[in-house]
Amino acid sequence: MERPFAITLEVGSSRHNKTGTWRVERPVYVDRLPPCNDACPAGENIQGWLYHAESGDYESAWRKLMEDNPLPAVMGRVCYHPCQTACNRGKLDEEVGINSVEHFLGDIALDKGWMPETAATDTGRTALIIGAGPSGLSAAYHLRRLGHTVTIYEAGANPGGMMRYGIPKYRLPREVLDAEIRRIEAMGVEIVLNHKVDDLAAVLAEKRFDAVFLAIGAEIGKRAYVPAGESARILDAVSFLHSMEGQAPPLLGRRVAIYGGGNTAMDAARTAKRLGATDAVVVYRRTRDRMPAHDVEVEEAVEEGVEMRWLSTVKHADAGKLLLEKMTLDEKGMPTPTGEFEELEADSLILALGQEVDLELLRNVDGVVATDGVVQVDRNMMTGVPGLFAGGDMVPGERTVTVGVGHGKLAARNIDAWLRGTSFSKGGRPELADFDLLNTWYYSDAPQTVRAKLDVARRRSTFDEVVQGLDESNALFEARRCLSCGNCFECDNCYGVCPDNSVIKLGPGLRYEFDYDYCKGCGICAQECPCGAIKMVPESI
Amino acid sequence: MPFQPIKFYQTGSFVVGNRLLSEDQRSVQSSQARTNSLTLGHRACQGCGEALGARYALDAAMRATDNQMVVANATGCLEVFTTPFPETSWQIPWIHSLFGNSAAVGTGIAAALRSKGRQDIRVVAQAGDGGTVDIGFGPLSGMFERNDDVLFICYDNEAYMNTGVQRSGATPPAARTATTDAVGPHPGEDFGKGKNLPLIAMAHEIPYVATATVAELRDLEYKVEKAMSFHGARYIHVLVPCPLGWGSAPSDTIRLSRMAKETGLFPVFEAEGGEVTSVSNIRHQLPVEEYLRPQRRYQHLFRPQPDTETIGRIQAIADKNISRFGLLNGEPK
């Protein structure tokens, strides 16, 4: 064969040389658990829905969100966003405003009338849910999506539970709540209003339903014994907030004292301000850092002119005035009386000392265990009675809408398994995407977009929504602040930085794979991956 | 105007691709259709900065010239690891030359194309730092002086790595090489030696001179494309870490390039007709110690005690670069 001058061998490609044999460690693509998802009580895949929002595909983002949470517009307003507390971006500049993007997605979905998907075929199985609060509605939604027939018995005149009768309008406008509940009804969930279940045993005996989920909440305000003169005006916060949904707002007088340090105390104080109280004073027996109320609520309350009286208890209530005793914290942090007293002028006293569950309906049911006033459930949210599940405020746990929605989802998955005669397991948790795994060099510096707040003067006098939503450009900006911790977002870095061309780009949405025939295992891809989605693992020998 | 980074879109243009940017805002390297001038199976060490830099630069040049390009290569690592006879890793028209004469070979190819009337084909000559600043310096200076229509790219790994890590004119002060051990009064390579080829190239007042690193791909691609928009002699100097010669972890190649720029030790700029026209600002300034410490060629500066005086002299070099080129505010002095 004719060859060029001085050439004795055919020219070949270096592809014959499989440099993959040099490798002692191999890179592998992984999906780690982002801290936001880890922290979400409703189990949302936040990184997953932000991924779609980043590209402006809000409908896909909303649909991803709706896989876990049927109430994004509500949640975008009332959730205390533990996701943001956990967010890795907080270590870089400020955490991603996840809650504000959720608010935006919830609103745009209502605006465009997007509807969630339901199962193509009905299973023919029936589930009864008692209580149309956050957990009841969440369970109903998820069970309906899985094809079951769902009925909710609700004691109140309107659905929503604490979202309607506990959370004031300035935090959650009722049109938003109504619209999201209507969407669940439109999926085929039947809500029977004014239907209080007094005796659960009788309902169970009818055997009309294949499974029952109990989510009646904790609607009784705790009463502490406060010695009081005959004409002292004392209310409990739960009834007070509940009455805001009625025809005539309750009469409080000009000076209102609120006793307690939780979120309900803040809601009551802020509501009192809006009803015209000149003074709204929160009396709490410990200090601010020990207060169970969330920081946002306390800050907003103080902005609106709510006063705080720390380290104080109410010893005696009389018409127009309260006698307070000053407290001090002992070394264990427990408040102890000091014997010093002071007077506080107050026309009424609102007690916000926590809530209790009305367990009356369980009196004839055998097998349900209630400890410390709450119903005990196993990891599958089932009570001691087979087929009877419970969740929300009536079981142990933090009492927030988000936790309730999470309970509803978990219960629904387990009820579904129960109805199908199988069992549900959550599956293993991937390892956490810690901040240290990220290469933050690659992210643009960008501070958080803050949602506009209503003018303080208007907040004191009206029930208009305090926190306004983002517009589309802000929401997009905020979504794009996501670092996508632990999950590939197709930035092409690994494909670009490999000195050995051993990363194969599969195309949009398909991510990448390694060419182990040639990968030498240098680890640059893992080091330069912005989001920590590549892991180096030792080769087996 | 310097390369204008896109600031937002999650990772902006800091990453190679970014699905949020339009196709034309992404890098050549992010494309599934990139040339891969240097293909699979080459025998460069793990984490080789030069293999990466060559693919980055030549793929960008291929796109800029619409694949009408010839490359002349000097002897050095880049040649040894890509073309052990009879195999080749090059997927572009490529010619082997000697250690010192790639600029001359490039000049010759350009002259031949000119005499054949082929104005559509462009010429690139490339070499490592030894083939550029030492052995190939005469032909290169001649190429600059005659303003031959060649883009010369130097992949600078700061020593003769192929032959066993001997010092070159580009070896930085205090670096240990096989010929600059830290013994007696010597801190490794002596201070005050070596030469700065980008500045020498600028002194020839050629149309375009630029420096770049493998850490800033977009900037490198921009400079190659810009160089191809000029005719005449052009010079690009790319810093390419060498895990073997620098004694660094193979996975640190890009990180070290980034730190060389962020400390100010390797100023990234471009110049036209002998004048600096733009500099890449330092984004998060670092003390030189952070750059030196991960490299075994500087380990004598940290053992047994940190040699603060020598580290201070290296910091002074970085500080001088920062003020000379205006690396913090983009204003050259």
Side-chain angles (χ1 to χ4, degrees), chain A residues 180-195:
Chain A
E180 292 213 312
I181 295 175
R182 267 200 304 276
R183 195 168 58 206
I184 295 172
E185 286 182 285
M187 291 168 69
V189 170
E190 187 195 3
I191 304 180
V192 185
L193 297 171
N194 299 309
H195 190 298

Side-chain angles (χ1 to χ4, degrees), chain A residues 12 14 17 22 51 54 441-444 446 480 482 491 493 495-496 498-501 505 520 527-528, chain B residues 7-10 16-17 19 29-32 34 38 40-44 46 55 86 88-89 252 258 283:
Chain A
S14 61
N17 189 24
W22 305 10
Y51 176 84
E54 283 152 23
W441 166 265
Y442 290 103
Y443 298 100
S444 310
R480 287 174 171 182
C482 174
C491 71
N493 249 20
Y495 178 63
C498 177
D500 300 302
N501 307 15
K505 180 174 172 175
K520 294 170 187 162
Q527 171 101 288
E528 300 304 321
Chain B
K7 288 255 170 55
F8 204 54
Y9 297 99
Q10 195 167 39
V16 169
R19 69 190 175 101
Q29 285 303 312
S30 72
S31 166
Q32 284 168 290
R34 72 187 188 200
L38 192 55
L40 297 159
H42 66 72
R43 298 167 194 225
Q46 288 180 323
R55 195 188 77 222
T88 179
S89 306
D252 270 350
R258 186 154 56 227
R283 187 171 167 221

Side-chain angles (χ1 to χ4, degrees), chain A residues 86-96 435 438 443-447 480-483 485, chain B residues 8 10:
Chain A
C87 177
N88 275 334
R89 180 134 206 163
K91 300 191 180 108
L92 196 62
D93 38 43
E94 290 169 89
E95 73 272 14
V96 176
F435 185 75
L438 308 179
Y443 298 100
S444 310
D445 310 300
R480 287 174 171 182
R481 295 182 65 248
C482 174
L483 307 179
C485 305
Chain B
F8 204 54
Q10 195 167 39

Side-chain angles (χ1 to χ4, degrees), chain B residues 142-179:
Chain B
M143 184 198 109
F144 289 161
E145 177 233 333
R146 294 184 302 270
N147 200 24
D148 292 319
D149 190 13
V150 178
L151 166 63
F152 193 97
I153 303 173
C154 169
Y155 304 105
D156 178 10
N157 56 21
E158 304 189 328
Y160 290 85
M161 302 311 186
N162 172 38
T163 49
V165 196
Q166 293 84 9
R167 85 165 281 279
S168 79
T171 301
R176 180 259 165 219
T177 67
T179 47

Side-chain angles (χ1 to χ4, degrees), chain A residues 75-93:
Chain A
M75 201 80 99
R77 289 170 166 86
V78 304
C79 181
Y80 297 109
H81 42 74
C83 52
Q84 292 186 208
T85 311
C87 177
N88 275 334
R89 180 134 206 163
K91 300 191 180 108
L92 196 62
D93 38 43

Side-chain angles (χ1 to χ4, degrees), chain B residues 117-136:
Chain B
R118 293 296 302 267
Q119 292 180 340
D120 54 327
I121 301 174
R122 308 298 303 273
V123 184
V124 172
Q126 57 183 7
D129 52 298
T132 305
V133 312
D134 298 341
I135 304 175

